[in-house]
Amino acid sequence: MTQSSPAWDPDRYLTYADERGRPFLDLVGRVAAVDPDVVVDLGCGPGNLTSLLADRWPAAAITGVDSSEAMIRAASDSSAAERVSFHRADLRDWLAAAEPGGVDVLVSNATLQWLPEHLDLVPALVGAVKPGGWLAFQVPGNHDEPSHTLRAELAAEPPYAVHTAGVAAPHAHRAEVYLRALQALGCEVDAWETTYLHVLHGEDPVFTWVSGTGARPTLQALPTDLRARFEDELKARLRAAYPDDGHGVVLPFRRIFVVARTPA
C-alpha cells in the first residue's frame, strides 16, 4: 500500500476472502522453491494469505509487511501470527532498507498496483532476492471494466469532483511489460493472465467488492454528507452494469501474474 493510502478495513476486505485468495494460490503454485529460508510477503493485508506461505514452507522464516496499521493489527491478532512475523512498513521503505539478496522468495499479491511508479521498483525487488531465488507478484488488470470506470466517471462529476481529484487509483501494466523488464535484469520469467468469473450474491455485491479495494480511496475522500449520496448512485450504476439474473452477479476479473527466477 502507498504512504497516502486510505484506512483499509480488514473486515470489508475479507468479505470475499475465497475469491480474493484464488489468485494468490495460483501465483504461489508456480513458485518452485523447495526449501527456502526467508520468505517475505509485501502487502500482506490481514495475513490470511500469508499464513498459506507458512503451510507451504513450514521451516522458513515468514514475514508479512503492510503499510496499513489496521491490516497489520488484524494480522497480528490472527492465528497466523503464531507462525508469521508481521511488520508495518511502506513497501518502498522496506525495499530501501532490505539487505541485498536477503530473501529466498519474495511475494507481492495485489499491492503493486497502488504504486504508480512500481515498474521502476522492479530492479529493487529483484535485488532483494538472492541469486537463484524467486520473485512472484500479481496485480489486477481489470481497470477498464465498469467496476472501475463507473466509479471514476461518477467521481469526476459535480459535486464530487472537487473532493476526489487526485485520489489514489490502481494501475497495472500488460504482462509483457513486466516480462521484458525482468528479462532485462537476467531473470527467467513466467508471465500470464487469467480472467476469473466470480459469481457474487447478496445486496449490491459488486459495490461491496469494490468498496473494500479499488473504490475505497474515492469513498474516503468524500465528506460524510456526500459519501452516502455517492454510494447510492454508484450502487445503481453497478446494478445496471452487473445484473443479477437469479443465479448471482457475474464479476469478470482479469489478473496479471509474474513469477521470476533471479539469475544465479
Side-chain angles (χ1 to χ4, degrees):
M1 307 300 179
T2 69
Q3 291 174 333
S4 59
S5 63
W8 297 100
D9 183 340
D11 293 332
R12 175 58 65 95
Y13 182 81
L14 290 170
T15 300
Y16 293 110
D18 288 344
E19 289 84 355
R20 297 191 197 278
R22 284 181 60 191
F24 182 89
L25 293 172
D26 290 345
L27 176 70
V28 176
R30 301 290 281 270
V31 176
V34 178
D35 190 22
D37 294 320
V38 179
V39 178
V40 176
D41 181 7
L42 292 179
C44 64
N48 59 308
L49 298 177
T50 315
S51 68
L52 301 179
L53 300 177
D55 294 338
R56 171 79 181 273
W57 296 297
I62 311 288
T63 300
V65 178
D66 202 286
S67 68
S68 167
E69 181 178 356
M71 288 295 196
I72 289 297
R73 186 185 309 115
S76 299
D77 290 341
S78 71
S79 60
E82 299 176 2
R83 301 181 298 163
V84 179
S85 176
F86 292 104
H87 299 285
R88 183 186 179 193
D90 182 272
L91 183 152
R92 293 159 293 194
D93 294 337
W94 183 89
L95 280 175
E99 174 189 353
V103 179
D104 295 281
V105 178
L106 184 59
V107 176
S108 185
N109 182 66
T111 296
L112 293 175
Q113 74 275 6
W114 290 107
L115 305 175
E117 77 286 11
H118 69 260
L119 192 63
D120 296 333
L121 296 177
V122 167
L125 290 166
V126 171
V129 179
K130 78 172 187 180
W134 297 85
L135 168 65
F137 61 86
Q138 175 269 128
V139 289
N142 66 330
H143 307 129
D144 293 331
E145 293 293 322
S147 54
H148 285 273
T149 60
L150 291 175
R151 183 264 311 156
E153 291 168 3
L154 181 59
E157 298 175 6
Y160 312 117
V162 67
H163 302 286
T164 60
V167 298
H171 170 73
H173 300 278
R174 292 180 293 106
E176 182 182 356
V177 174
Y178 298 116
L179 182 146
R180 291 303 190 193
L182 286 159
Q183 285 182 328
L185 296 171
C187 297
E188 298 178 7
V189 188
D190 181 12
W192 72 98
E193 299 179 3
T194 298
T195 298
Y196 299 89
L197 298 180
H198 299 304
V199 180
L200 309 180
H201 300 276
E203 184 176 359
D204 294 309
V206 178
F207 174 81
T208 299
W209 181 292
V210 300
S211 66
T213 51
R216 192 163 181 83
T218 299
L219 295 174
Q220 291 200 319
L222 293 167
T224 303
D225 59 332
L226 284 180
R227 187 178 304 142
R229 176 178 166 184
F230 182 92
E231 289 180 352
D232 288 343
E233 178 61 27
L234 182 57
K235 288 176 182 178
R237 296 188 187 191
L238 290 171
R239 283 195 297 269
Y242 299 95
D244 189 341
D245 63 358
H247 300 284
V249 173
V250 177
L251 176 65
F253 203 120
R254 171 175 165 259
R255 294 186 182 266
I256 299 164
F257 298 83
V258 180
V259 174
R261 186 88 185 265
T262 61

